[in-house]
Amino acid sequence: MKILIVGLGYAGTRFRMAFRNTGLPMEFAHVGRRRRDPDIPYYASVREGLDDFRPDVVVVTVPDEAHAEVLAQLAGYEGFVVAEKPLVTSRDDLAAVESALAGTQGFCMDLVERYSRATVWLRDHVREHDLQLVRAHFTWGKDRINDHRPTSGVPSEVIHPLDLVGWIAGHGRELALDTVLGTRSDFSVSGPEVLDSVALSARLGPGVVTGYSSFVNITRKREVDFVFRSPAGELEYASLVYDTPEWDADRLRVWRRTSEGDVVVHELDTSSEPVPEEAATVVKLGRMAADVARFVVRGEKPEQPFPGMPDAVALQRLLNTMERQARTTAPVTYFPAGRTVLQETDWERLG
């Protein structure tokens, strides 16, 4: 299997690790502004890479604002595409990207938390017991203040909890936004007024969803809480915590309250599970990569349905609506005297 990575930076390198760990025979090449790895073929353009390398899979991990341009260059490509989230930015032509990718063998967006064992268990449980959402709340953020990587802002972060709430509890329904409050700042090298945080409320069928997401959260926090109602009218509670205290360390607790105290339905904690050195930080990403590789090479059905183009487009429309509706404060200024951009030395902080 041949894999062409467009943008062999932080995210692209992690994808390369994840695909290597599948154990299937594969070759890599990359596209970028400059050669990043002398051991694999390098191409200065997507077209050159497609024509010469003829990849089975194209992985797009360029900065957010370049997604639409790169994806549009895949028009006519008939292989499989894996893309970082979000699909595009609110300024891009979403229909043009959909059209460009219409002939691909398949598409998978990097909504990696779908591949957590905690997510899988809870989603299956909700469906098996026909639990209906009453309320969901999320807190989802990390610190990207003065990170040297360009960004479209908080849409690239809030996409995860918005997807998880719908994926776990939506029963096929889509989120409908009610209110959005936001904050803009110069935290990013991308500009002085990038949307860095949002607090929102929404509806998901009969349920209410609230949450806060931020790229200036100082500490990483990824939590989603649910209250469900069973067909018998009982309330059931679920708490999900992701990537705490480190990547791929996820926890789930599901319980009911009774007069005698809490009755635990299920508990799961992956933090004590041993992780091979080569899989550190890419356990969930590795499951996604394995699904893609087996699908492409062997035609096998993925263990988890791919977060495909319909998911990516629906989420992008939701993000676009969020940006349009956001009522924001006056921009926050972190660097009034200008910035000295720091090269990141602790990628775990940003994960």
Side-chain angles (χ1 to χ4, degrees):
M1 181 172 70
K2 292 184 173 183
I3 299 177
L4 179 66
I5 300 176
V6 186
L8 191 61
Y10 167 67
T13 299
R14 295 184 72 242
F15 265 107
R16 188 181 178 190
M17 291 170 56
F19 275 107
R20 274 177 168 171
N21 291 343
T22 65
L24 293 172
M26 57 186 64
E27 301 173 46
F28 293 93
H30 76 99
V31 174
R33 289 192 296 268
R34 59 183 175 86
R35 180 184 289 275
R36 286 183 172 267
D37 188 333
D39 296 327
I40 63 174
Y42 162 74
Y43 301 99
S45 70
V46 172
R47 176 46 54 193
E48 184 184 359
L50 293 177
D51 291 343
D52 184 70
F53 190 61
R54 298 187 178 278
D56 302 292
V57 177
V58 175
V59 180
V60 179
T61 55
V62 294
D64 300 352
E65 66 266 23
H67 284 187
E69 178 185 356
V70 170
L71 293 171
Q73 292 176 49
L74 297 178
Y77 174 64
E78 297 180 351
F80 196 101
V81 175
V82 179
E84 264 297 345
K85 46 70 192 174
L87 184 63
V88 294
T89 74
S90 60
R91 299 179 299 277
D92 297 316
D93 187 339
L94 182 56
V97 171
E98 281 189 89
S99 177
L101 299 178
T104 59
Q105 176 191 11
F107 178 88
C108 178
M109 175 168 277
D110 182 17
L111 296 171
V112 70
E113 304 299 353
R114 287 193 184 191
Y115 291 82
S116 169
R117 291 204 295 114
T119 302
V120 173
W121 193 95
L122 184 57
R123 184 175 188 267
D124 289 347
H125 179 70
V126 166
R127 277 151 181 73
E128 288 169 9
H129 297 275
D130 194 26
L131 301 181
Q132 298 299 313
L133 181 67
V134 177
R135 179 74 182 269
H137 180 77
F138 62 81
T139 304
W140 200 281
K142 62 185 176 186
D143 172 15
R144 281 190 62 174
I145 298 174
N146 209 21
D147 178 10
H148 71 278
R149 295 173 296 165
T151 177
S152 61
V154 76
S156 186
E157 184 75 348
V158 73
I159 190 172
H160 283 298
L162 292 176
D163 175 64
L164 285 170
V165 170
W167 180 243
I168 291 169
H171 294 286
R173 295 181 289 252
E174 292 188 3
L175 274 166
L177 287 174
D178 286 336
T179 60
V180 185
L181 299 176
T183 306
R184 298 182 183 276
S185 76
D186 64 348
F187 84 99
S188 167
V189 295
S190 296
E193 298 186 13
V194 177
L195 189 65
D196 67 32
S197 306
V198 288
L200 58 83
S201 64
R203 288 273 176 181
L204 184 60
V208 171
V209 179
T210 57
Y212 174 75
S213 183
S214 177
F215 262 160
V216 295
N217 207 59
I218 307 304
T219 57
R220 183 173 63 210
K221 185 179 286 288
R222 295 175 173 173
E223 301 177 358
V224 189
D225 297 331
F226 296 90
V227 181
F228 298 103
R229 182 176 290 109
S230 74
E234 293 183 307
L235 294 182
E236 191 161 298
Y237 304 84
S239 175
L240 282 162
V241 179
Y242 295 94
D243 301 309
T244 304
E246 58 189 9
W247 251 318
D248 297 315
D250 302 338
R251 300 195 303 275
L252 167 66
R253 185 173 188 263
V254 183
W255 72 98
R256 292 189 298 271
R257 290 177 180 156
T258 72
S259 299
E260 289 73 40
D262 290 352
V263 175
V264 176
V265 176
H266 188 73
E267 284 187 298
L268 184 155
D269 186 344
T270 70
S271 62
S272 60
E273 297 177 358
V275 176
E277 183 178 351
E278 66 273 12
T281 78
V282 293
V283 173
K284 286 174 284 196
L285 193 66
R287 294 179 186 135
M288 179 194 299
D291 269 1
V292 171
R294 288 191 293 259
F295 176 81
V296 171
V297 174
R298 303 172 182 167
E300 292 182 10
K301 181 180 178 181
E303 291 190 11
Q304 297 301 318
F306 292 126
M309 185 57 67
D311 300 290
V313 170
L315 283 164
Q316 190 61 52
R317 288 176 176 152
L318 185 66
L319 294 175
N320 293 351
T321 301
M322 180 194 77
E323 288 196 76
R324 285 197 305 270
Q325 290 186 1
R327 297 176 57 191
T328 60
T329 63
V332 176
T333 302
Y334 288 97
F335 306 102
R339 74 174 75 226
T340 301
V341 177
L342 306 178
Q343 294 297 312
E344 188 56 52
T345 58
D346 181 12
W347 291 111
E348 174 68 22
R349 176 180 71 85
L350 293 175

